[in-house]
Amino acid sequence: MTNINPVIVALRWEWFRLSRRVGFWAIVGILGLFVVGALAIAVGMRFVPAVGETMPAYGFPHVVFDVLSTLAPFLGVILAGFIFGGEFGWGTWRASLARGMPASRLILLKILLGAVVLVVIWIVAWCLAALVGLVAGENGAEGIIQQSPGFPEGWGDAGLKFASAWPVAVAYLALGTLLCVIGRSTAFGVGVGIGLIVAETIGYRLLGLLAGLIWDIELVDYLRWTLQGVSSGLLGNDEPKAIVFLPALLAYAGLFCWVTLAIFSRRDLDS
């Protein structure tokens, strides 16, 4: 227990600091509005005369999955900015390290805090989606299901698909951490991180379209193992057996963490 207690204490302290940031709760609130809005639209569709569609109870987690899977990279990068970037702006890295914890352990602890926060967000979102589904869903409903290829068949598959967006958020959390350490600021980490996400998303699709039109090749075969490729694959947008992309995504997260530790350990915090 003596080896566990310092970690728990440090983790609680990091959470105390993060929870006092208004921006963090603002981002959580905005994410909550997206989730609640998506569920409200799904429920309200049955009352639109031109639509009149319904879903089974296990369909509502899929609606929330669409929201989380889209926002997961942005959420991971922004969360990294809140946890890491402010340390440089406030000049509090040395005060944190003065508590006697090695820099490598402190950084990993902060990344762990981010991953735990993401887990809690995912659990709350799942519970909300499941509750709405049990209350407002209709068993045997077909309309929307028939229009959604790959829709999960039952709660088990819905849960696995729902959870697949969490490793994506963690991978981008690690990327955002690296960018914050490189740029020594929240603005650099979040700004460059979001820019990379947008450029990667647009560029991935644009290059694929140009390759098909000009060279008549499937560029996805060459970009499949990029960060964007493995993220999309794990989310089920590439192949039926999405789990094959999980080791590659975890390898990206591990690489970002390793580079972060390497840069941080060789940098003078006063510079």
Side-chain angles (χ1 to χ4, degrees):
M1 295 298 293
T2 56
N3 293 328
I4 298 177
N5 289 337
V7 174
I8 295 177
V9 171
L11 191 62
R12 292 180 60 184
W13 169 247
E14 294 298 333
W15 164 245
F16 175 82
R17 299 174 65 193
L18 177 64
S19 63
R20 295 304 184 273
R21 302 199 63 175
V22 177
F24 167 72
W25 293 112
I27 293 299
V28 172
I30 293 173
L31 179 62
L33 290 177
F34 275 105
V35 171
V36 172
L39 290 173
I41 292 173
V43 174
M45 288 179 68
R46 72 176 59 182
F47 302 107
V48 180
V51 181
E53 304 287 6
T54 56
M55 285 192 297
Y58 63 78
F60 287 87
H62 182 75
V63 173
V64 177
F65 162 79
D66 288 339
V67 175
L68 292 181
S69 62
T70 301
L71 298 179
F74 299 96
L75 182 60
V77 167
I78 294 174
L79 183 58
F82 283 127
I83 296 176
F84 283 89
E87 297 279 9
F88 292 98
W90 300 330
T92 52
W93 270 115
R94 286 200 177 277
S96 299
L97 293 173
R99 300 200 308 264
M101 182 174 293
S104 59
R105 185 180 299 181
L106 179 60
I107 290 178
L108 293 177
L109 186 71
K110 288 176 175 290
I111 295 176
L112 176 61
L113 172 64
V116 171
V117 169
L118 291 172
V119 165
V120 173
I121 291 175
W122 255 244
I123 292 176
V124 172
W126 167 265
C127 292
L128 179 62
L131 178 62
V132 173
L134 292 173
V135 173
E138 296 185 14
N139 292 324
E142 296 180 351
I144 291 180
I145 301 301
Q146 293 179 346
Q147 299 173 16
S148 302
F151 202 91
E153 295 294 338
W155 286 104
D157 290 339
L160 290 175
K161 190 172 182 68
F162 188 90
S164 67
W166 177 76
V168 175
V170 172
Y172 281 90
L173 170 71
L175 174 61
T177 298
L178 173 60
L179 293 174
C180 286
V181 171
I182 291 176
R184 308 181 189 183
S185 71
T186 301
F188 182 90
V190 174
V192 174
I194 291 178
L196 287 175
I197 294 170
V198 174
E200 189 180 34
T201 302
I202 297 176
Y204 192 88
R205 289 177 172 81
L206 183 60
L207 286 175
L209 177 62
L210 292 177
L213 293 176
I214 299 177
W215 299 294
D216 193 25
I217 62 174
E218 292 291 336
L219 197 61
V220 67
D221 295 332
Y222 300 92
L223 301 179
R224 188 184 306 273
W225 300 107
T226 61
L227 180 58
Q228 168 72 17
V230 296
S231 298
S232 177
L234 184 63
L235 295 174
N237 301 327
D238 191 14
E239 292 184 358
K241 295 182 179 179
I243 192 65
V244 300
F245 295 97
L246 181 58
L249 189 64
L250 294 178
Y252 271 108
L255 175 63
F256 295 145
C257 291
W258 179 79
V259 176
T260 298
L261 294 174
I263 293 176
F264 192 87
S265 63
R266 289 169 172 76
R267 177 170 290 172
D268 181 5
L269 293 177
D270 287 335
S271 62

